[in-house]
Amino acid sequence: EVQQTLTEEEILNESEQAFNERMEWWREAKFGLFIHWGPYAVPAGVHDGQEIEGIGEWIMDRAEIPVSEYEEYARQFNPEQYDAEEWVKIAKDAGMKYIIITSKHHDGFGLWDSEVSDYDAVDFAAIEQDLLADLKKAADKHDIKLGFYYSIMDWHHPNAQAPHYPDYNTDEKSNPNFDQYVENYMKPQLKELVEKYDPAVLWFDGEWIPEWTHEHGVETYTWLRQMKPDLIINNRVDVGRQGMQGMNEEGGEFVGDFGTPEQEILESTREFDWEACMTMNDTWGYKKNDDNWKSAETLIHNLVDIASKGGNYLLNVGPTAEGLIPQASVDRLAKMGDWMEVNSEAIYETERLQHSFKEGENIRYTKQKGDSVFYGILLEQPGETISFSVLRPDEGSEVKLLGYDEPLKWEFGEDEGLALQVPDEVRENTDFGPAWVFKVQG
Ligand code: FHN
């Protein structure tokens, strides 16, 4: 399809209709895979024999590793077992519709062969394959959208974040020329990523450094959308994000298409689109000794909770330096896939219902886009009856539990709403869980 070039004015004053069209696939998708992958997977949380606390991809900062020493890890990065198609299949089988991978994290290392940098997989780590091209090819083949995370902060570039360059042990700043980094390095890199791999999303991060301003954000956002009008860009391209809650400061005029809560789920629905990015254990980048895994049940509940509030769930994996997604992650994603196989109609292409569930209630609701098909989702093993206070089936309509053939007996009362009778075989069988989806026409 031919895309028309947009003027700056058109981009900054986009109509609601144009915005809705651009966001459509993303809003319908609901569930994506986040991949944090880079040289930090080599130490995998342990530097000089010492376990380094905190998230794995921050090891350079946390352990105060000088650039030249960290570069050794980058040289050792050798993903011999990387199989892009396998990764895409893992995501697809989990029910995910898109993937966001770190093209460059804060450590500055690029996963593709960048023309403006030698600090990348091909030039520096001598990896012959184009890692991102492989992923793009596999994603296209399996109809999965691919987007790139890109860190504005860069601990390797002398003009980007001085305190990290070249050595933590000095206080000396190298008088960084940040705008040169932006013009001669960051923007050319972004242009390469857009032109070579045609990403569906650009996912910025590291925008909190003092050098990055609202003007940089607006300039970068409009410049990218002129290059690719249907590109979706997160709010971290600008400076409106409020801490880990990730939504923009109220009333501010910020660019960016969606908010980015991090490791948390909003308490209620929002007008502004949002995507909660979360880890399965306590790190984004691979750490060999982090075994604090969330259960598949928790992850499925998170997906339901987020979808019911109109958000997307971007769930992270941190592959090893050899290129393997940790088995614990693979197992959990497979369980999510089993659940999605039966229940995904209550997730994809659904809309939020405002003020639907009560605080502390183990119930969530979603609604099919455009249709009057509603889902009441129970997040705990059902008892003999269940009430869904906001659902009212049409007279004579069938109420069903997804995955169970027989329609359920129901009554409607003005006070308690819809009361369902749960058959014994459903109550006694945990296979319908860990989130029980009741479908109602009404
Ligand atoms: O510092 C990063 C962190 O390493 C990770 O990439 C997360 C993912 O959203 N974002 C940052 C902190 O906001």
Side-chain angles (χ1 to χ4, degrees), residues 36 57-58 105-106 149 203 205 208 236 241 262 277:
H36 275 71
E57 71 286 0
W58 271 73
H105 202 263
H106 309 332
Y149 170 109
W203 210 106
D205 204 1
W208 59 81
R236 299 185 188 184
R241 155 159 82 130
E262 179 164 323
C277 55

Side-chain angles (χ1 to χ4, degrees), residues 285-305:
Y286 179 63
K287 276 185 96 172
K288 56 186 154 205
N289 296 327
D290 183 340
D291 289 317
N292 193 22
W293 299 99
K294 294 175 187 87
S295 66
E297 178 181 13
T298 299
L299 301 175
I300 291 167
H301 287 184
N302 286 348
L303 175 62
V304 169
D305 191 20

